[in-house]
Amino acid sequence: MGLTTATIAAELEAASKVGDPKADALVSDLIDNKEIDGVNALFRTIGTLKPGQDLSQLPPRLAEFLKESAAPPPDWSEADVKAAESFFGHHHGEVSMLQGTVGLIGTYLSPTGAFTLRSTGRLGGVEGPGRRLSQSSRLFLDMGNKNAMRDGTLAANVTKVRLVHASVRQLHKKSGEWDYAKWGEPVSQKYTTGAACVFSTQILQAMARLGVDVSKDDAHGFMCAWHYVNHYLGTPEKWLLPKNADQVEALWNQERDKEWKKTDDGVFMTKQAVDFYKKFYPPGVHDAFFAMVRHALSDKYADMAGLPKSVLGAAAEPLAAGHGLVSGVGGGLLGGSTKKATGVNPYKDILGIASKGYNEVQKFALTQGEDDQPQMHQELHDNR
């Protein structure tokens, strides 16, 4: 029947106790057999696999898993692909940037999610959160790439994330430190479904707050894309997000305040992200960037995350387009557009410039030097 406002509370409670049995069994076996180095090398090739490619050189159990996991969602259609492609054709740059900022910060507002991310800090790599944020951005960018939902590249990328999630569950299980009675299963199906809500309907709400017009058809297309991603993350059909944007928004609006809380872990993760992005923008541009992120989240949730208030405004109010600091940002961040009448919301201008800079930085980070850091480990902690 799928998730509805009448059933979602009970379904999420059940989903909190479920991981991903097939992926978990595979990863557990690989860890137990001390095959971690080999798996890390293989992980770096998974993102390039395509349907029909020869998998005979892979370990048989991994090849079999990849074959089984390549099947599309049961109700997937050409109309769904076209709807998703239409959305990204109109909004690819801005939405990938919003998913990588507003969306990721939103996941830190889940106490379980924030704890899980912080306790597996080693997976962030030598430079802390940068690699993890870059890898997330890879997924968001890939969602809108040409033919990504046709040639298997997006499915392969999401399957890689699915296996990383399984490795996190195994690390917690083997650590003996996870409180199953309190937290349920690490990276449970509840967390996966909740994260899909954050990266889909929460982003559509952020776009509306920023004055970005998204047509009803395009909103539907974005939900189709996340239905697709949700499936390749290993979520059972009964817990997949509906493709209907209005339905998902109703589900999320009903459950969000039950799930989002301020925690030390969430504030810590947000600070790491803010400090990371500071490297990419001059001070004034950074201020405008996070003024926009605050407004996209709203003060209520930005404060929960510990997102600092910008010098451009004490609160997440729409900035006056004639605001002196905005017009002077970065030698004229908005390129003269701030000469509009005071009271006009300039966030659309900030969004366009910030998303261009963000995506260029992320593309550079993802294509230079390749990612040679481990993605699976034998133990938790050790934030190297």
Side-chain angles (χ1 to χ4, degrees):
M1 179 177 177
L3 298 171
T4 68
T5 53
T7 64
I8 188 169
E11 291 294 345
L12 288 179
E13 176 62 25
S16 71
K17 299 176 175 62
V18 178
D20 184 349
K22 288 186 178 180
D24 291 345
L26 171 66
V27 172
S28 177
D29 191 25
L30 293 171
I31 291 176
D32 288 345
N33 286 292
K34 309 292 185 183
E35 297 180 40
I36 302 306
D37 289 341
V39 172
N40 282 316
L42 289 170
F43 269 18
R44 290 190 285 274
T45 70
I46 287 175
T48 64
L49 297 177
K50 293 179 178 148
Q53 186 166 331
D54 181 14
L55 302 178
S56 63
Q57 301 304 309
L58 300 179
R61 57 197 159 185
L62 179 59
E64 185 61 30
F65 175 84
L66 291 173
K67 289 177 185 176
E68 291 181 6
S69 64
D75 55 351
W76 194 243
S77 69
E78 175 65 15
D80 296 331
V81 179
K82 288 182 176 179
E85 290 176 340
S86 174
F87 171 82
F88 287 111
H90 296 140
H91 302 290
H92 188 197
E94 60 202 17
V95 80
S96 58
M97 186 274 290
L98 288 172
Q99 288 179 111
T101 52
V102 174
L104 284 175
I105 290 172
T107 64
Y108 304 156
L109 290 173
S110 162
T112 306
F115 174 81
T116 304
L117 288 166
R118 188 174 183 181
S119 63
T120 54
R122 188 176 183 187
L123 294 174
V126 177
E127 298 300 328
R131 174 176 164 275
R132 186 174 246 160
L133 291 169
S134 291
Q135 286 194 323
S136 298
S137 295
R138 187 196 300 267
L139 171 59
F140 304 142
L141 288 167
D142 284 358
M143 287 180 73
N145 285 345
K146 185 177 180 180
N147 295 324
M149 281 172 263
R150 298 178 185 275
D151 63 13
T153 54
L154 180 58
N157 194 349
V158 179
T159 300
K160 174 180 172 181
V161 175
R162 179 183 178 183
L163 291 173
V164 172
H165 286 177
S167 75
V168 170
R169 278 190 294 273
Q170 292 306 309
L171 289 175
H172 278 295
K173 180 178 180 180
K174 296 174 186 302
S175 76
E177 298 176 16
W178 185 265
D179 188 337
Y180 284 87
K182 178 180 180 181
W183 298 106
E185 189 74 14
V187 198
S188 67
Q189 294 296 339
K190 174 183 177 179
Y191 176 80
T192 302
T193 297
C197 285
V198 175
F199 291 124
S200 60
T201 193
Q202 183 69 34
I203 297 303
L204 290 175
Q205 291 180 354
M207 294 172 80
R209 286 183 61 81
L210 294 170
V212 178
D213 297 321
V214 179
S215 71
K216 189 175 182 66
D217 286 345
D218 276 351
H220 167 71
F222 192 37
M223 292 314 310
C224 286
W226 271 100
H227 180 86
Y228 179 94
V229 170
N230 208 184
H231 164 76
Y232 282 107
L233 286 172
T235 299
E237 186 176 2
K238 65 180 177 179
W239 291 325
L240 288 178
L241 291 184
K243 299 174 190 173
N244 183 292
D246 291 338
Q247 290 179 7
V248 178
E249 183 173 36
L251 294 173
W252 183 233
N253 287 346
Q254 176 179 300
E255 297 300 315
R256 175 173 45 210
D257 285 351
K258 301 175 188 177
E259 300 300 323
W260 277 9
K261 309 292 180 188
K262 184 172 186 175
T263 63
D264 290 343
D265 292 325
V267 170
F268 175 85
M269 296 298 298
T270 298
K271 184 178 185 304
Q272 275 203 322
V274 169
D275 289 345
F276 175 70
Y277 288 126
K278 279 182 179 177
K279 302 173 185 177
F280 297 147
Y281 295 101
V285 177
H286 175 265
D287 290 334
F289 180 75
F290 275 100
M292 178 197 67
V293 173
R294 276 194 69 89
H295 186 60
L297 274 169
S298 81
D299 272 335
K300 177 179 179 179
Y301 300 122
D303 287 344
M304 277 187 187
L307 193 67
K309 291 181 173 63
S310 169
V311 297
L312 299 179
E317 298 295 332
L319 298 176
H323 194 305
L325 285 171
V326 177
S327 60
V329 161
L333 171 66
L334 304 184
S337 64
T338 54
K339 294 178 181 178
K340 301 172 185 176
T342 298
V344 174
N345 186 344
Y347 282 114
K348 288 177 70 173
D349 299 282
I350 297 174
L351 176 61
I353 291 172
S355 62
K356 181 179 179 181
Y358 173 88
N359 286 299
E360 287 304 313
V361 167
Q362 293 305 304
K363 287 177 182 177
F364 178 83
L366 294 170
T367 57
Q368 299 300 310
E370 300 304 320
D371 182 4
D372 60 356
Q373 296 186 46
Q375 297 176 52
M376 292 177 65
H377 295 276
Q378 295 291 144
E379 69 282 324
L380 286 173
H381 311 307
D382 191 4
N383 297 327
R384 290 183 293 174

